[in-house]
Amino acid sequence: MGSIRIAVRYMVFVTVLSMAAGPGFLAFAEEIQGVAAGSPAPGTSLEELDQKVRVLERKWEIEQETAAAKAKESPFVTAGGKDGFSIRSADGSHQLKLNGFVQGDGRFFLDDEQKPAMNTFLIRRAFLNFEGTVHRDYVFRIQSDFGGGKTTLQDAYLDARFASAFQLLVGKTKVPFLLERLQSATDRRFVELAFPNSLSPNRDIGAFVHGDLGKGVLSYAAGVFNGLPDGDTSDGDTNDDKDAVARIFAHPFKNTGIEPLGGFGFGIAATYGNQEGSISSSKKTFTSNLPSYKTSGQQTFFSYLDSTGEPSKDFSADNNVRADGIRTRFSPQAYYYWGPFGLLGEYVRTSQEVRKKNDVARLTNSAWQAAAYYVVTGEKNSFRHIAPSKPFNLSNGQFGALELVARYSELRVDGDAFPKFADPAKSASRAKAWAAGVNWYLNPKVRIQADYEQTRFTGGASGNQDREQEKVILSRIEVAY
């Protein structure tokens, strides 16, 4: 009876192995069954079977150990997560990610009788992002935009993340200055940016240190960039001067456990540099290093005098305005998020010395915005993208997430700009805009937006009249991957 019990136990073990390891073990299981039935195969003893089972047990253990070791060395491949498509080494030290997004817009103007603008569909952005990590601490990113039928290098940098409190980024990226500008294009709540972004540098080439202190309570960034006119982006430089940039941002209640205050943050940012334009009558070249300002409908409502684009193409210093000295920017900024509710506000002031022939002046322009957001379906609001708790699915009766948004923004041009440096019959001295819209998040990767924005101007038309109001409907469908 004892031999039969042992044989039965082995039979069960070998049967399990045969199921896991393949049909080659079935014959051995049948051999044990013969022992259990009292009719073992000729020449087969229980001791021999016991030895065979021990060999199989060890072989199975070795195979399990080998499989576990391979699993530790095998890379992880993911698709469709928050990082898009990615492949990561087993220890996490090396990683490659491929992702991006496409934004298809519709732009429609109402009552544009004096200054007709084109109603149009367009590809506003088509980003392809390739990002990687080597030896855990070194992150690189190459990001291109194919929107509007053009190819633009948006980001190309290396970020050495020595520690959370000390990181060094070198290359082309967003200048750490304005709050809404620093949001990803897929995180912004409106189709187009508010006026303060017209006074902020966009993407520039430089180097800066940055990091988080106190477990994210305080963030900082400080560095040097080539220097750009307001709202501009560039892949190069036009002079030897550079801009110094610094920004700090605090979340004073982040780790206190006081939930209503955990989403409050405020900060301040500044830039300082010496920027000068250039003009050559003989070479017929002109670089103003000065900005022009646009509405949400992308219509220019202010620009400095520049006759090089006129039919006469005047490249003399008499009729063209250019940057001629120190430029400073300053911006206090804050946001607040609690539950489905969110607020964002920021102010920016920029001061630049300008020249037209022998006339020199320091002009100071300013802008601000206040924006409010509310997720009707109850999801938590934040500086980042809204994640629907129930992604859109008609079969299951799920709607996704719905957010209502509203904002007011304003831009003022220094009164001393007129008429020496800007034409009051073509450029407005002030623009005030209000906007309201809705964001429908079908799922974490697909969003539909619709905004209505109305802008009033002071000046900007002949006869000391105000430019016609701009009324525009802005719509967008966005798909990320």
Side-chain angles (χ1 to χ4, degrees):
M1 288 297 293
S3 63
I4 292 176
R5 285 198 298 271
I6 294 172
V8 169
R9 178 166 60 85
Y10 287 166
M11 182 182 67
V12 172
F13 172 72
V14 173
T15 300
V16 172
L17 279 182
S18 66
M19 295 173 63
F25 290 87
L26 287 175
F28 187 52
E30 292 173 357
E31 192 175 2
I32 292 178
Q33 286 176 342
V35 174
S39 55
T44 302
S45 66
L46 185 59
E47 290 72 16
E48 290 174 332
L49 289 175
D50 181 63
Q51 182 61 32
K52 289 183 177 179
V53 169
R54 291 178 185 278
V55 170
L56 286 173
E57 283 183 320
R58 181 55 187 153
K59 183 178 180 181
W60 183 75
E61 290 174 354
I62 294 174
E63 289 178 349
Q64 294 300 307
E65 292 170 358
T66 302
K70 287 184 177 178
K72 291 181 179 179
E73 298 176 354
S74 300
F76 294 93
V77 178
T78 62
K82 65 181 181 64
D83 294 329
F85 302 92
S86 69
I87 181 170
R88 177 169 57 88
S89 63
D91 64 358
S93 296
H94 305 273
Q95 185 174 12
L96 291 175
K97 294 187 286 188
L98 178 65
N99 51 49
F101 63 89
V102 177
Q103 294 176 335
D105 286 15
R107 189 181 294 160
F108 306 98
F109 296 87
L110 309 176
D111 301 332
D112 52 334
E113 297 174 355
Q114 297 178 15
K115 285 187 172 295
M118 183 183 297
N119 299 329
T120 184
F121 294 104
L122 67 152
I123 301 300
R124 187 72 169 94
R125 298 180 181 87
F127 274 46
L128 178 63
N129 181 52
F130 183 65
E131 187 173 325
T133 302
V134 294
H135 292 284
R136 193 178 299 276
D137 298 329
Y138 301 91
V139 176
F140 67 87
R141 186 180 201 187
I142 301 172
Q143 185 179 68
S144 297
D145 180 13
F146 301 94
K150 301 179 293 183
T151 301
T152 304
L153 180 65
Q154 294 287 357
D155 287 335
Y157 63 73
L158 171 66
D159 192 11
R161 300 176 178 177
F162 304 114
S164 176
F166 182 73
Q167 304 173 39
L168 172 64
L169 190 149
V170 179
K172 182 181 180 182
T173 188
K174 290 181 179 178
V175 177
F177 183 67
L178 207 60
L179 197 56
E180 189 181 28
R181 176 73 75 181
L182 291 175
Q183 273 186 308
S184 166
T186 56
D187 293 336
R188 296 169 187 158
R189 298 304 198 267
F190 293 87
V191 174
E192 296 293 344
L193 294 165
F195 280 134
N197 296 274
S198 298
L199 306 185
S200 165
N202 191 353
R203 284 177 162 89
D204 200 1
I205 301 173
F208 67 99
V209 294
H210 63 109
D212 297 326
L213 305 173
K215 298 181 178 179
V217 172
L218 183 67
S219 301
Y220 75 93
V224 178
F225 288 83
N226 281 334
L228 292 169
D230 296 341
D232 204 357
T233 185
S234 176
D235 292 312
D237 204 354
T238 57
N239 54 50
D240 293 335
D241 298 308
K242 301 293 175 278
D243 274 12
V245 179
R247 179 178 185 264
I248 56 172
F249 199 85
H251 298 90
F253 303 100
K254 183 174 184 178
N255 301 319
T256 62
I258 306 175
E259 186 177 351
L261 298 178
F264 172 64
F266 70 98
I268 190 169
T271 76
Y272 179 89
N274 181 48
Q275 294 294 317
E276 298 182 359
S278 62
I279 188 166
S280 172
S281 300
S282 59
K283 296 180 180 178
K284 297 187 181 303
T285 59
F286 175 56
T287 303
S288 71
N289 270 339
L290 292 172
S292 58
Y293 302 138
K294 295 183 178 181
T295 64
S296 289
Q298 303 305 297
Q299 306 300 304
T300 300
F301 68 89
F302 174 85
S303 60
Y304 291 95
L305 292 174
D306 177 359
S307 61
T308 60
E310 302 293 335
S312 59
K313 293 188 179 301
D314 180 2
F315 285 90
S316 71
D318 295 348
N319 299 312
N320 295 291
V321 183
R322 63 186 188 275
D324 190 45
I326 300 299
R327 176 177 59 212
T328 61
R329 301 186 184 96
F330 165 78
S331 173
Q333 50 202 251
Y335 61 56
Y336 174 69
Y337 297 96
W338 183 37
F341 184 68
L343 290 172
L344 185 147
E346 54 191 346
Y347 170 85
V348 60
R349 175 176 174 153
T350 178
S351 179
Q352 169 73 63
E353 292 180 359
V354 301
R355 172 182 291 274
K356 178 189 168 192
K357 198 176 181 182
N358 296 324
D359 293 322
V360 179
R362 168 164 291 279
L363 301 180
T364 299
N365 305 328
S366 61
W368 64 277
Q369 71 154 323
Y373 327 115
Y374 183 76
V375 185
V376 178
T377 46
E379 282 82 354
K380 186 177 180 180
N381 217 322
S382 76
F383 193 64
R384 306 300 179 191
H385 201 78
I386 300 295
S389 58
K390 296 180 179 179
F392 179 72
N393 188 317
L394 281 179
S395 302
N396 297 332
Q398 297 178 180
F399 183 76
L402 192 69
E403 181 184 36
L404 302 180
V405 296
R407 79 175 175 204
Y408 180 85
S409 66
E410 187 172 323
L411 189 152
R412 295 186 180 191
V413 179
D414 195 317
D416 290 340
F418 305 94
K420 287 184 179 178
F421 305 102
D423 185 353
K426 296 180 180 179
S427 294
S429 62
R430 187 175 182 181
K432 300 183 289 185
W434 65 267
V438 58
N439 297 321
W440 180 19
Y441 302 86
L442 280 73
N443 56 55
K445 301 293 186 182
V446 180
R447 176 174 64 168
I448 296 175
Q449 295 179 276
D451 297 340
Y452 172 78
E453 185 149 3
Q454 186 167 323
T455 306
R456 299 183 63 180
F457 305 94
T458 300
S462 58
N464 291 324
Q465 299 297 308
D466 295 336
R467 178 187 173 116
E468 180 184 54
Q469 289 189 50
E470 178 182 280
K471 302 174 183 177
V472 59
I473 297 173
L474 304 165
S475 60
R476 170 173 294 164
I477 182 168
E478 171 188 284
V479 179
Y481 59 91

